[in-house]
Amino acid sequence: MLGSSVNILLIEDNLADARFLHEVLKQPKFKNFSLFHVKRLKEALNLLEKSSQVSVCFDVILLDLTLPDSQGLDSLQPLMECDANLPIVVLTNTNDNELAIEAVRQGAQDYLVKRQVNDDSLLRSLRYAIERKQTLESLNTLNQTLKEEVDKCTLELVKAQELNQFKSEFVSILSHDIRNPLNTILLTAGLLQNSDEQLSKEKKLTHFQMIRSAIKNMALLLDEASFIGKADTGRLRCQISPLDLQDFCSEIIKGIKISAKYRNIHITSILPEIDFEVFSDENLLRHILDNLLTNAVKYSPPGSTVHFELNFTEESIIFLIQDWGIGIPNQEQQQLFQPFYRASNIGMIPGTGLGLSIVAKCVDALQGEIEFNSQVDLGTKFIVKLPLVKV
């Protein structure tokens, strides 16, 4: 709809035609219309560029297609580039109808044949041009909104498809990894049942230990899979509470030293004196440090060292875990935090491939960062930075 006032920019070098339009606009039905007249395209472009400075907002352009400094459709494009939202009505002589129609195809909103202009045709053309432009802008806005919604739905669909594929692969790999300890339990139980009288006490004890170990491995795998499931469905919650970080780290290192001792791996650590409590999630932090230290021990050769270090900055808690073990192939490092992924150089070293994925999800839940550096046969260094909240 037309506003309370309409400002028209007339670009017309023919003074007689311009005077005629001035006279038409003096009719009562045009009492809210104001006409600004320039003779050249360059003047019009300058005026449009300065319109905000002179507090003039144009609502429509009347454009003669034959100007001293521009001819035909060459006049249209510069005006549209100067103000894409300003509707343009082209003025043409009788023999320029085809040119005028082509101008409309290229972006003008309407055209008028000069010798047919009267107050009704001019008012109708101006009104249609402005309202058509407003309608097109509304449609463009609606189309953009619809496009954004379609893009959003498409992205959600792709994510859903990826999630379904991940779930399918997750179940397949989990079933495969559970089958191995199950087979161990079944075979060992069968031996105990069928050969009980022939087995020595030591053999029976070995078989029972194999069953217990297989059950423990299954329980660990199911616990880790459950943890990943919670994280991927948004059910992993961070529960912050006060924590004596030095005692906490000492306890974890003490537990790791027990398993490291059997592989003749030495654990070194640097734990600075701490005169304050920090706030963190003990469960998530335990998952991070246990998994990183366990991996460091697991993938290190006998007789080597695993180093743990705790540091602070004004804003962060920093954990460093370094080993001098088998390392991670460079081309495989981008996949390191994917569930069930295991590097190609692990050989027969057992594992589920879930540990580092759990570490990454715990670090995310604590709003921290994790980075690593690794070289094959030279070892791996992990650095975990978590926000420092202390009392």
Side-chain angles (χ1 to χ4, degrees):
M1 298 296 293
L2 295 180
S4 57
S5 63
V6 177
N7 292 323
I8 305 169
L9 175 58
L10 172 62
I11 311 172
E12 171 64 78
D13 67 315
N14 188 304
L15 293 180
D17 290 336
R19 194 178 301 112
F20 171 75
L21 290 171
H22 271 289
E23 293 299 320
V24 172
L25 290 172
K26 290 180 180 179
Q27 301 293 324
K29 63 182 67 176
F30 293 102
K31 64 179 181 179
N32 294 324
F33 285 67
S34 299
L35 186 67
F36 296 79
H37 175 218
V38 295
K39 299 176 182 179
R40 285 170 171 73
L41 178 64
K42 185 177 180 180
E43 296 177 56
L45 294 174
N46 289 336
L47 186 57
L48 289 173
E49 290 175 358
K50 298 177 181 178
S51 60
S52 59
Q53 301 176 13
V54 295
S55 301
V56 176
C57 181
F58 293 106
D59 300 287
V60 63
I61 293 176
L62 287 174
L63 171 65
D64 180 20
L65 290 180
T66 305
L67 297 171
D69 58 345
S70 180
Q71 291 292 314
L73 300 183
D74 291 343
S75 303
L76 192 61
Q77 193 62 32
L79 291 169
M80 295 174 64
E81 290 176 355
C82 187
D83 190 341
N85 297 318
L86 194 55
I88 300 173
V89 177
V90 298
L91 301 172
T92 178
N93 295 314
T94 305
N95 58 351
D96 289 335
N97 279 349
E98 292 183 3
L99 184 63
I101 293 172
E102 181 60 28
V104 172
R105 290 197 187 103
Q106 294 191 23
Q109 294 301 315
D110 203 354
Y111 70 95
L112 287 170
V113 178
K114 290 183 179 180
R115 68 181 185 85
Q116 296 176 358
V117 171
N118 56 43
D119 53 355
D120 290 331
S121 65
L122 180 59
L123 181 61
R124 182 174 61 250
S125 182
L126 293 174
R127 180 187 293 118
Y128 286 177
I130 295 172
E131 293 182 354
R132 191 180 295 118
K133 188 68 173 181
Q134 292 172 345
T135 301
L136 287 174
E137 289 172 1
S138 298
L139 286 174
N140 288 336
T141 301
L142 178 59
N143 285 337
Q144 182 62 32
T145 302
L146 290 174
K147 182 180 182 300
E148 291 172 358
E149 287 296 320
V150 169
D151 290 344
K152 180 180 177 182
C153 291
T154 301
L155 181 60
E156 290 175 353
L157 179 59
V158 170
K159 287 182 177 179
Q161 291 173 338
E162 290 176 349
L163 181 59
N164 287 335
Q165 182 179 357
F166 169 76
K167 287 180 179 178
S168 177
E169 293 174 353
F170 190 95
V171 171
S172 175
I173 296 172
L174 187 62
S175 300
H176 176 271
D177 286 354
I178 285 179
R179 192 174 293 116
N180 289 332
L182 273 177
N183 288 337
T184 299
I185 293 170
L186 288 171
L187 289 172
T188 308
L191 286 172
L192 289 170
Q193 182 180 9
N194 299 326
S195 307
D196 180 64
E197 296 179 358
Q198 289 80 25
L199 295 174
S200 65
K201 184 176 180 180
E202 290 76 14
K203 283 285 186 181
K204 289 181 181 178
L205 181 60
T206 299
H207 288 321
F208 281 123
Q209 287 175 339
M210 289 175 64
I211 291 175
R212 282 196 294 269
S213 177
I215 292 172
K216 182 179 178 181
N217 288 338
M218 286 177 58
L220 176 62
L221 182 59
L222 291 172
D223 286 344
E224 289 180 337
S226 174
F227 189 94
I228 293 291
K230 286 181 180 178
D232 287 337
T233 55
R235 292 182 290 121
L236 186 61
R237 294 289 182 265
C238 185
Q239 299 179 341
I240 299 297
S241 61
L243 180 65
D244 187 325
L245 195 56
Q246 188 177 42
D247 286 350
F248 177 79
C249 292
S250 297
E251 176 193 342
I252 288 179
I253 293 170
K254 184 178 179 181
I256 293 296
K257 282 183 175 180
I258 296 173
S259 60
K261 181 179 179 181
Y262 289 104
R263 303 195 65 244
N264 190 27
I265 293 174
H266 183 55
I267 306 293
T268 64
S269 61
I270 297 177
L271 298 176
E273 292 291 334
I274 305 173
D275 58 0
F276 54 85
E277 284 186 321
V278 302
F279 282 88
S280 190
D281 186 307
E282 182 175 339
N283 182 48
L284 296 180
L285 192 53
R286 188 178 299 277
H287 276 294
I288 294 171
L289 299 183
D290 268 341
N291 275 294
L292 290 177
L293 284 166
T294 299
N295 278 357
V297 171
K298 183 190 299 184
Y299 298 113
S300 293
S304 64
T305 298
V306 169
H307 180 67
F308 175 87
E309 192 170 323
L310 172 64
N311 287 302
F312 295 92
T313 67
E314 289 293 325
E315 300 178 347
S316 302
I317 310 170
I318 302 173
F319 302 96
L320 181 147
I321 297 93
Q322 184 166 10
D323 66 67
W324 287 265
I326 64 174
I328 306 158
N330 184 63
Q331 65 273 19
E332 301 179 32
Q333 292 182 8
Q334 289 186 343
Q335 301 168 272
L336 195 61
F337 297 108
Q338 293 182 5
F340 295 109
Y341 181 78
R342 305 194 74 202
S344 60
N345 62 334
I346 60 170
M348 300 300 293
I349 301 173
T352 64
L354 290 174
L356 288 179
S357 178
I358 289 173
V359 168
K361 293 183 184 299
C362 290
V363 171
D364 284 343
L366 290 168
Q367 299 182 344
E369 301 175 358
I370 184 168
E371 57 187 55
F372 68 94
N373 181 272
S374 184
Q375 296 183 55
V376 173
D377 297 329
L378 294 178
T380 303
K381 178 171 67 175
F382 280 92
I383 296 176
V384 176
K385 296 180 182 179
L386 302 178
L388 173 59
V389 180
K390 62 183 181 179
V391 293

